[in-house]
Amino acid sequence: MRTNLDLRQQNHPLSGLRNVGILAHVDAGKTTVTERILYLTGTIHKRGEVHDGTTVTDFDSQERDRGITIFAAAVSCDWDGHSINLIDTPGHVDFSDEVERSLRVLDGAVALFDAVAGVEPQSESVWRQADRHGVPRIAFVNKMDRPGADLDAAVASIRERLHVTPLVVQLPIGQEAGFSGVIDLIRMRAYVWNDDTFAERQVPDALLEQAKRRRRLLEETVAELHPVALEEFYARSTVSAETLAAALRDLTRSGTGVVVLCGSAYRNRGIEPLLDAVVAYLPSPQEVPAVRGISDGVVQERIADPRAPFAALVFKVSSTATGRLTYLRVYSGTIRKGDTVVDAGAGRTERISRILRVQADQHAEVQQAFAGDIVAVIGPKSARGGATLCAPTAPLVLEPPAVAAPVVAVA
Ligand code: GDP
């Protein structure tokens, strides 16, 4: 039987897919942001709070009950006609290997900061790891409602400690406990939240001059870094919303600058624009460089094409009541329920008996998964984190980035 999810996948070209992780210092609010994202995308229906232990993200007991949880390696959700796979990245440096492996399977990330603390040492080290893996990032300055929250100071710490140009696209409305919304400096519109609902409004008169100055600053910064924006800036002495958005996307993907947004996950403010930014600025699996692997001593490139030979990286294995879940990032080809694949490094054959897309409080079985996607499979008995599963007819071992050898492209 074909499930809705299968149909959804078919309707979703790869360009609509985002594989993203949240990179954060412990306590910056990753659990809360994740939970709010799942709530807003309709993946879960009840809001939970971290302090009363009802968020879906952090329970081992529920994991045992359901056999699965979003603390599982990846959760899928939908936003604005796009599919987002949210991949868990451990916040602790102790799990550095796990961080490395999850960074390998991401196409983009949201770097989360605390509006009071700004960039902290742990955020610096994860940032460097993401640099090494070439993961494009946007930044979300969380906890804007806290006493002492200071977006400008957090932005300064991003510039100084991460050595990247911040591209601030929002102006907060209100401070600390009075933080009630943001002005989108690209479109010059205000978003104001009231409990769970938010409304789009004109920029309030009291903030108009300040918003214009901030937009000017954004235009100047972007024009310095992006030739098309520069041309428009000279010709019209302004930069249109469309050009700004396109330039910000390019700058994000090249790592030249980092788009900075702000909000308060705890009070559910700023999460919708964050999801919009994930979709707008972070790349799809089609827009990232091909992965490389070694086959018979020769380096091959695999592109995200569902018709290419199947190759996937195992990035996490977990034992649950449902069975041994092997989390895969599919890099090329298509995998179907019932397929036999090869663990190329170990030289073993494995069978794929079920394919699951993981959601917060359920897992949905699908018949197949395509290049670019992230799924959990049941069946493989011994494949470990870091292993490559691939088509028996085209075996290869996916290597960590930067392998120096001749490249042979595989169509
Ligand atoms: P994690 O360790 O990064 O997963 O962080 P959590 O999501 O568990 O949050 C850590 C603490 O910060 C919890 O007590 C949250 O309730 C609190 N918190 C998270 N987001 C916000 C926020 O936007 N504002 C405030 N004031 N507190 C927050």
Side-chain angles (χ1 to χ4, degrees):
M1 195 189 80
R2 218 166 242 308
T3 65
N4 285 341
L5 283 158
D6 273 325
L7 291 174
R8 192 190 70 191
Q9 275 191 322
Q10 287 191 330
N11 293 336
H12 266 299
L14 275 182
S15 61
L17 188 59
R18 299 289 182 276
N19 293 316
V20 297
I22 299 176
L23 310 178
H25 185 278
V26 171
D27 230 34
K30 191 170 76 172
T31 311
T32 312
V33 170
T34 305
E35 192 268 338
R36 297 304 192 242
I37 288 176
L38 296 180
Y39 174 70
L40 285 173
T41 56
T43 314
I44 54 171
H45 297 290
K46 215 172 114 253
R47 275 174 61 177
E49 304 296 346
V50 172
H51 61 257
D52 66 15
T54 53
T55 62
V56 290
T57 41
D58 61 354
F59 291 140
D60 284 356
S61 60
Q62 281 197 345
E63 174 164 6
R64 280 194 296 274
D65 292 349
R66 293 179 189 136
I68 219 155
T69 162
I70 79 145
F71 215 18
V75 208
S76 304
C77 54
D78 285 350
W79 182 253
D80 195 23
H82 292 70
S83 276
I84 299 173
N85 287 321
L86 210 54
I87 297 130
D88 188 45
T89 48
H92 267 296
V93 271
D94 322 0
F95 302 122
S96 214
D97 260 8
E98 238 182 290
V99 177
E100 291 278 340
R101 208 172 289 135
S102 54
L103 285 172
R104 270 181 80 181
V105 302
L106 300 177
D107 296 323
V110 175
L112 199 64
F113 303 101
D114 179 318
V116 180
V119 175
E120 293 169 89
Q122 220 179 57
S123 350
E124 270 183 78
S125 56
V126 181
W127 187 271
R128 307 256 168 274
Q129 275 176 312
D131 273 343
R132 278 205 305 281
H133 288 271
V135 177
R137 272 146 285 169
I138 57 178
F140 186 74
V141 177
N142 188 35
K143 305 199 185 184
M144 287 295 293
D145 60 296
R146 273 187 71 189
D150 185 341
L151 179 62
D152 290 343
V155 167
S157 75
I158 289 174
R159 183 195 306 280
E160 283 153 24
R161 301 185 64 171
L162 304 178
H163 310 292
V164 63
T165 305
L167 305 161
V168 184
V169 297
Q170 293 176 337
L171 174 69
I173 303 174
Q175 282 180 332
E176 302 180 347
F179 172 74
S180 60
V182 294
I183 292 167
D184 172 354
L185 297 173
I186 300 171
R187 296 174 57 234
M188 289 298 269
R189 298 289 292 168
Y191 297 123
V192 183
W193 280 265
N194 191 355
D195 289 329
D196 268 3
T197 55
F198 88 102
E200 189 182 324
R201 305 229 174 98
Q202 279 190 332
V203 175
D205 285 346
L207 288 175
L208 194 57
E209 279 315 307
Q210 200 189 350
K212 281 183 180 164
R213 277 200 307 277
R214 293 292 172 121
R215 189 184 205 275
R216 188 76 183 164
L217 187 64
L218 176 66
E219 290 177 10
E220 285 169 2
T221 314
V222 170
E224 260 174 41
L225 300 171
H226 197 281
V228 176
L230 182 65
E231 207 173 293
E232 202 172 299
F233 190 70
Y234 275 134
R236 301 210 257 138
S237 71
T238 181
V239 184
S240 68
E242 293 70 30
T243 303
L244 268 183
L248 290 169
R249 194 187 57 210
D250 290 347
L251 297 173
T252 301
R253 294 177 186 188
S254 64
T256 317
V258 62
V259 167
V260 181
L261 302 103
C262 65
S264 160
Y266 186 67
R267 304 189 64 187
N268 229 3
R269 293 179 180 171
I271 305 295
E272 293 94 337
L274 173 63
L275 286 164
D276 287 343
V278 163
V279 165
Y281 305 128
L282 296 178
S284 79
Q286 266 175 333
E287 295 164 315
V288 296
V291 289
R292 290 173 168 199
I294 295 188
S295 178
D296 276 339
V298 179
V299 175
Q300 290 190 346
E301 275 196 346
R302 288 287 174 89
I303 53 165
D305 180 349
R307 292 158 305 182
F310 172 72
L313 182 79
V314 175
F315 66 97
K316 182 155 179 167
V317 176
S318 61
S319 299
T320 68
T322 313
R324 186 178 195 266
L325 291 183
T326 303
Y327 285 88
L328 299 182
R329 158 77 193 239
V330 183
Y331 281 101
S332 65
T334 301
I335 190 172
R336 293 181 187 80
K337 185 177 166 166
D339 277 357
T340 297
V341 296
V342 170
D343 177 343
R348 263 191 303 259
T349 296
E350 300 270 22
R351 199 180 136 80
I352 307 296
S353 39
R354 294 171 72 193
I355 306 175
L356 308 172
R357 285 179 73 88
V358 182
Q359 290 169 326
D361 47 6
Q362 60 175 346
H363 47 268
E365 190 154 352
V366 294
Q367 303 300 312
Q368 51 196 351
F370 304 101
D373 213 347
I374 290 198
V375 286
V377 296
I378 296 179
K381 291 194 171 56
S382 49
R384 297 210 181 138
T388 305
L389 295 182
C390 53
T393 49
L396 105 162
V397 176
L398 293 168
E399 280 291 291
V403 264
V407 174
V408 180
V410 167

